[in-house]
Amino acid sequence: MGEDDMPMDDKAKRMRDLLSSFYSPDPSVTNANNPFKFASLDVINTTSFDADQYMNLLVQRSNLEGLLQKHVEMAAEIKNLDTDLQMLVYENYNKFISATDTIKRMKTNIVGMETNMEQLLDKIMTVQSRSDGVNTSLFEKREHIEKLHRTRNLLRKVQFIYDLPARLGKCIKSEAYADAVRFYIGAMPIFKAYGDSSFQDCKRASEEAMDTIIKNLQGKLFSDSESIQARAEAAVLLKQLDFPQVDSLKAKLFEKLEQSLDGLQLTHEEIANVTVESSNLSEQGNNTESIPGSAHGALVSEFAEAVRAYQVIFPDSEKQLIKLSQDLITKHFEITSDFIKKWIPIANFLGVLRIIWKDVLLIDKVLHEALLPDYSSKASRIAVRQYIKRTFSHLLHDISDALTNVHIKPKEEVDEHPLVVFLEAGKSSVLQGSVNVLLDFRQLLKENLGGLQLSGLIVDWVQEGFQDFFRALHDQFFLLSGKNKSAIQDENSTKGMQVEKVVPGLVLVLAQLSIFIEQTAISRITEEIAAYFSGGGGGAHENGPAFVPGEICRTFHSAGEILLQHYINMRTQKITVLLRKRFTAPNWVKHKEPREVHMFVDLFLQELEAIGTEAKQILPHGVLRKHRRSESNGSSASSRSNSLRDDKMSRSNTHRARSQLLEKHLAKLFKQKVEIFTKTEYTQESVVTTVVKLCLKSLQEYVRLQTFNRSGFQQIQLDVQFLRASLKEIVEDEAAVDFLLDEVIVGASERCLDPIPLEPPILDKLIQAKLAKEKEQTPISP
């Protein structure tokens, strides 16, 4: 046993040492008893590689198949290394040969160059010696010529001084004051040096002429009839002559410039008529020069020249001129903003921007320090974004106007203004209006205002604007429908809408328009945006893209369902008021025997007819599906109810309570198998059927709140039986309607003191009399 245990202990120890060497944090630690404790097969590429130790470790860890595989791998690696070494040697050998050839060519080319350089140096020395000889021979003649030239110049100056009074007189006659000042300033050094001796008479005559010129310049300077440029030129000339009153000119000229700004502002007439000018600018390729005959362009050009002259006269007035120029451009954009609030067509808006940028570039030429292009770029971005927002607001207003005629003439909507007209008007306002807006915005994309690139920002603003527009349109639909009464009451002061006068037909139009937006308008608008307004200008949206069609479709899908249900509720509420008056007014315990169908049935059917008329104008026909109860549920319930009522008539009063209890439980049993309220579809039949179901449910509740005598119960029976035949013609779910009518009869019988129904012959006779009366009252169509 001891000999068998020893090998196992050594094997376990060896495995433990190998694992310890693999996970050991310090591979330098070794074990004397086991030289392979920390050895690894990956040390073959290190400098401390020991071939014997590596082979022993490889033989110990690998079997025969592994050794063969390792042999194949190492042979392949050796072959690859030999190939790489051979390629490296070839490459270095080629480079060495190329370098040797280059050195040989250099030695060949240098041979003979030294001789050529020596020849060139000899020729240069020869040319230099000859040049020195020519200069020496011509030196005396050159000195003489220069002396004669100086004498000639001096004589010209003397002649100029003698001719100066006559020149000044000619300048006074021709009003060439700038030339006169230039001549006189040029002669001032000579007059200062020799004016009291040699040129005394010339100086006196010139001073008299200059006094006349100064008086004329003063008169031009302080004359209000002179232009700003002429007055500035006079000021410059006086300043050159060191006139003492020139300093007082600064305040007067600056005041004149400020007053001239009032005439440079854009007016209503200019903006209204700017379409023609903007088209001319477009044909000229956005040329920034003044339009011929443009009064505004002429005034701005005059202002720019005045600024240029003002800079020359008063170099220290730069800050004042910059402020004045920026105030002019700011006022331009303020006036543009006022017009945007009232909304102007895209052609007028672009024309105004072109005029403003024409003014900016014109002033920037003479006052570049004002940085008006940068200053105007910010204002242009604000104006363009404001215009985009105002355009969407204008579109929203147009859509509201197309729908508010339903409010204005509710009594004429069937004849003169059918709902389909308002629906088509709403569709056109939404779809065509949105397409027209995109066409306008495409002009903004093409516009290049002074090199200002806003296409990326415009794309972001348009997408964001459409998203906000459809959200606002969604809220506007609820506002028009009276669904959000608190919001409408807040808006009453500005829009003049009254919640009480909301027309149900408008709500139906809004419901169908919401579906049109979801199914048609959004897809068309999305295509236009993808074609011309995709990408964006780097305006990162943290919550995703600015325009999300899926979100808008879901919003209007939900809005359509809510508005359709709101229309049904409005119509149902009106009929419910009729039902409440019918069941709360009479004393049912003292009701007389029924002689005819009650008038409330006619009113009820008239309301349903009105609903059907509205639905036919807006909604399509649905798939005709008359839900009739099968023999297993509805029919058996009806037949059993009828049989139970027959038993009630034949049985004595002692068994009446038992029959009523049985009928009640049977009705509840079969009620669970009839689905009363289903999802309302966008069809004529579905809307009418839903209204009928809600009204019958209300009728059932009102019946349960009253106590009837036999005659009252029979009156309910007669009215319900007449309704049963009439409602079958207009509803699509006969099973649910029959079930609800049966529930009304059962409820009335439960609340009746003596529930004995009318005999079938009497019931049929009364119904036929009602039908004959209606036929007599119905006019015969030609």
Side-chain angles (χ1 to χ4, degrees):
M1 292 297 294
E3 293 179 358
D4 295 334
D5 293 340
M6 184 61 65
M8 294 300 295
D9 292 341
D10 292 341
K11 184 177 181 180
K13 185 177 180 180
R14 186 182 302 109
M15 291 299 297
R16 184 169 60 251
D17 292 338
L18 288 174
L19 292 174
S20 177
S21 66
F22 181 81
Y23 293 103
S24 175
D26 187 6
S28 62
V29 180
T30 57
N31 190 341
N33 296 330
N34 187 7
F36 307 109
K37 179 177 181 180
F38 300 106
S40 174
L41 295 175
D42 297 331
V43 299
I44 191 171
N45 295 324
T46 61
T47 57
S48 60
F49 174 68
D50 187 353
D52 295 335
Q53 184 179 359
Y54 179 80
M55 285 301 301
N56 294 333
L57 182 63
L58 184 63
V59 171
Q60 184 176 358
R61 292 185 178 181
S62 305
N63 53 18
L64 180 59
E65 184 178 356
L67 291 174
L68 292 175
Q69 182 65 26
K70 192 66 176 178
H71 170 72
V72 173
E73 293 176 358
M74 293 184 69
E77 291 179 1
I78 292 170
K79 185 176 181 180
N80 291 334
L81 290 174
D82 291 341
T83 302
D84 295 340
L85 182 59
Q86 185 178 7
M87 292 299 297
L88 183 61
V89 171
Y90 288 161
E91 290 177 0
N92 291 336
Y93 181 73
N94 291 333
K95 292 179 181 179
F96 177 75
I97 292 175
S98 177
T100 303
D101 294 339
T102 303
I103 293 172
K104 288 181 180 180
R105 286 195 300 271
M106 288 178 63
K107 289 182 178 180
T108 303
N109 295 334
I110 291 175
V111 174
M113 184 178 295
E114 185 175 356
T115 305
N116 295 334
M117 293 300 294
E118 291 177 354
Q119 293 176 0
L120 179 62
L121 180 60
D122 293 339
K123 291 180 181 180
I124 291 174
M125 295 302 294
T126 302
V127 172
Q128 183 178 1
S129 62
R130 292 183 180 181
S131 177
D132 293 340
V134 172
N135 290 336
T136 303
S137 61
L138 297 178
F139 178 74
E140 294 180 358
K141 294 181 180 180
R142 183 184 300 116
E143 288 291 331
H144 181 67
I145 291 172
E146 290 179 356
K147 183 178 179 180
L148 293 176
H149 181 69
R150 287 194 297 269
T151 303
R152 181 174 177 272
N153 290 338
L154 181 59
L155 291 174
R156 283 185 175 181
K157 292 180 181 180
V158 172
Q159 186 64 37
F160 176 78
I161 295 299
Y162 280 113
D163 295 341
L164 181 60
R167 289 175 180 266
L168 295 178
K170 292 180 180 179
C171 291
I172 291 173
K173 291 181 180 179
S174 62
E175 296 185 355
Y177 301 121
D179 294 338
V181 171
R182 179 168 54 85
F183 294 154
Y184 183 74
I185 292 175
M188 284 297 293
I190 298 177
F191 284 151
K192 289 181 180 180
Y194 307 102
D196 297 334
S197 58
S198 303
F199 303 105
Q200 186 175 4
D201 296 336
C202 293
K203 179 181 180 183
R204 186 184 307 108
S206 298
E207 289 178 349
E208 291 176 358
M210 289 307 300
D211 290 339
T212 304
I213 292 174
I214 289 174
K215 290 180 181 179
N216 294 342
L217 290 176
Q218 286 179 335
K220 187 182 289 291
L221 177 63
F222 297 106
S223 176
D224 294 334
S225 61
E226 296 291 339
S227 64
I228 296 178
Q229 288 80 2
R231 297 177 69 183
E233 182 181 358
V236 171
L237 296 177
L238 290 173
K239 189 175 181 180
Q240 291 176 359
L241 294 172
D242 295 331
F243 189 70
Q245 298 181 1
V246 174
D247 293 337
S248 62
L249 178 65
K250 182 176 181 179
K252 292 184 179 180
L253 282 180
F254 195 78
E255 183 180 356
K256 186 72 174 178
L257 280 175
E258 288 181 342
Q259 293 176 358
S260 67
L261 291 182
D262 296 335
L264 298 177
Q265 302 301 330
L266 294 173
T267 61
H268 293 263
E269 293 77 10
E270 289 176 336
I271 293 182
N273 299 326
V274 79
T275 307
V276 177
E277 297 184 1
S278 63
S279 62
N280 293 336
L281 280 173
S282 299
E283 293 174 0
Q284 298 173 8
N286 291 336
N287 187 12
T288 58
E289 299 297 329
S290 301
I291 301 175
S294 174
H296 178 79
L299 291 175
V300 174
S301 298
E302 184 178 349
F303 174 79
E305 293 300 325
V307 171
R308 188 199 304 272
Y310 201 81
Q311 285 180 299
V312 175
I313 301 170
F314 306 107
D316 59 342
S317 61
E318 182 178 297
K319 292 183 179 179
Q320 291 175 315
L321 293 175
I322 289 175
K323 183 179 183 304
L324 202 63
S325 302
Q326 290 180 349
D327 290 343
L328 173 63
I329 302 303
T330 300
K331 192 65 177 177
H332 279 353
F333 280 105
E334 288 178 355
I335 294 175
T336 304
S337 178
D338 293 338
F339 278 95
I340 290 175
K341 292 178 181 178
K342 302 176 184 177
W343 193 81
I344 56 177
I346 185 65
N348 294 69
F349 175 68
L350 291 177
V352 171
L353 289 183
R354 293 187 189 111
I355 290 177
I356 294 176
W357 272 95
K358 176 168 66 73
D359 296 347
V360 167
L361 298 178
L362 192 60
I363 299 174
D364 184 64
K365 292 180 180 179
V366 299
L367 191 63
H368 185 68
E369 295 78 7
L371 300 176
L372 288 183
D374 295 338
Y375 182 81
S376 302
S377 297
K378 298 178 182 178
S380 297
R381 292 189 188 97
I382 296 174
V384 171
R385 186 167 191 178
Q386 182 185 5
Y387 182 80
I388 291 175
K389 288 184 178 180
R390 186 64 189 88
T391 301
F392 282 115
S393 299
H394 182 72
L395 177 59
L396 181 63
H397 185 267
D398 288 345
I399 296 173
S400 299
D401 287 344
L403 298 172
T404 47
N405 289 331
V406 183
H407 286 85
I408 296 174
K409 297 180 180 180
K411 295 182 180 179
E412 302 176 2
E413 63 181 15
V414 175
D415 298 330
E416 298 183 5
H417 299 282
L419 298 183
V420 65
V421 175
F422 295 104
L423 177 61
E424 294 302 323
K427 290 180 179 180
S428 177
S429 299
V430 172
L431 183 56
Q432 192 59 42
S434 299
V435 172
N436 292 337
V437 164
L438 287 172
L439 290 176
D440 291 345
F441 292 157
R442 285 169 60 183
Q443 297 185 41
L444 282 177
L445 285 177
K446 299 176 182 178
E447 192 65 25
N448 182 16
L449 300 172
L452 182 64
Q453 298 294 333
L454 295 178
S455 57
L457 293 175
I458 290 174
V459 168
D460 292 337
W461 293 338
V462 169
Q463 292 188 9
E464 180 181 354
F466 263 111
Q467 191 76 10
D468 295 338
F469 162 73
F470 280 110
R471 290 172 182 168
L473 184 62
H474 172 267
D475 297 338
Q476 187 70 12
F477 280 4
F478 280 90
L479 188 69
L480 293 173
S481 67
K483 183 64 177 176
N484 189 355
K485 293 185 178 181
S486 61
I488 296 179
Q489 292 172 355
D490 294 338
E491 298 285 341
N492 280 343
S493 59
T494 58
K495 298 191 177 181
M497 287 182 53
Q498 297 181 0
V499 179
E500 294 80 3
K501 295 185 179 181
V502 174
V503 179
L506 173 62
V507 180
L508 189 59
V509 170
L510 294 176
Q512 192 66 11
L513 188 56
S514 299
I515 299 303
F516 170 78
I517 292 174
E518 176 203 357
Q519 297 178 352
T520 305
I522 296 299
S523 59
R524 173 68 185 281
I525 294 172
T526 303
E527 292 175 359
E528 292 290 331
I529 291 178
Y532 301 101
F533 296 91
S534 60
H541 300 281
E542 296 180 356
N543 298 326
F547 181 65
V548 185
E551 177 183 345
I552 299 175
C553 290
R554 290 190 296 270
T555 299
F556 278 93
H557 178 79
S558 175
E561 294 180 346
I562 294 173
L563 290 172
L564 183 62
Q565 188 60 43
H566 183 49
Y567 170 78
I568 294 173
N569 293 339
M570 292 176 67
R571 283 302 191 181
T572 304
Q573 289 173 3
K574 185 176 181 181
I575 298 175
T576 302
V577 173
L578 175 66
L579 297 177
R580 183 170 62 250
K581 291 181 180 179
R582 163 60 180 147
F583 283 91
T584 56
N587 187 354
W588 290 97
V589 179
K590 299 181 180 181
H591 199 280
K592 297 181 180 180
E593 291 184 2
R595 298 181 179 274
E596 62 178 357
V597 177
H598 195 270
M599 182 179 62
F600 100 92
V601 175
D602 296 334
L603 298 177
F604 179 40
L605 293 176
Q606 289 176 6
E607 292 295 330
L608 293 180
E609 183 180 1
I611 296 172
T613 301
E614 292 179 345
K616 289 178 182 178
Q617 297 182 53
I618 302 296
L619 301 175
H621 283 286
V623 180
L624 186 61
R625 51 180 188 275
K626 294 287 185 177
H627 294 288
R628 302 182 183 275
R629 290 180 291 185
S630 62
E631 293 298 331
S632 62
N633 45 43
S635 298
S636 61
S638 178
S639 61
R640 293 184 185 183
S641 298
N642 292 333
S643 63
L644 286 173
R645 286 195 291 270
D646 293 340
D647 291 340
K648 291 178 192 175
M649 291 186 294
S650 62
R651 292 177 184 177
S652 63
N653 293 333
T654 57
H655 297 90
R656 186 175 299 142
R658 183 184 305 172
S659 300
Q660 291 176 351
L661 181 62
L662 179 59
E663 185 176 8
K664 177 180 179 180
H665 286 292
L666 285 174
K668 289 184 178 181
L669 177 63
F670 289 105
K671 178 180 179 181
Q672 297 174 358
K673 294 186 178 182
V674 178
E675 186 178 3
I676 305 266
F677 297 103
T678 58
K679 182 181 179 180
T680 306
E681 304 292 339
Y682 288 91
T683 60
Q684 302 173 15
E685 296 81 6
S686 179
V687 171
V688 175
T689 301
T690 304
V691 174
V692 170
K693 290 178 181 179
L694 292 173
C695 293
L696 293 180
K697 195 66 178 177
S698 300
L699 177 62
Q700 177 185 352
E701 297 300 325
Y702 285 128
V703 165
R704 290 178 177 177
L705 296 176
Q706 303 297 328
T707 302
F708 304 92
N709 62 359
R710 179 191 301 178
S711 299
F713 170 68
Q714 292 174 351
Q715 181 67 55
I716 298 298
Q717 179 190 5
L718 175 60
D719 296 341
V720 168
Q721 188 62 26
F722 185 80
L723 280 175
R724 190 187 303 273
S726 301
L727 294 180
K728 286 183 179 180
E729 303 298 329
I730 60 176
V731 299
E732 64 176 357
D733 192 357
E734 293 183 14
V737 173
D738 285 341
F739 180 80
L740 290 173
L741 291 173
D742 291 343
E743 284 292 303
V744 173
I745 297 297
V746 172
S749 66
E750 291 176 352
R751 300 293 298 170
C752 182
L753 300 177
D754 186 16
I756 298 178
L758 284 172
E759 295 292 336
I762 299 176
L763 187 64
D764 292 339
K765 181 179 180 180
L766 293 176
I767 292 176
Q768 292 300 325
K770 176 64 176 177
L771 295 176
K773 184 178 180 181
E774 287 183 350
K775 187 175 182 180
E776 293 176 359
Q777 293 177 353
T778 303
I780 301 175
S781 59

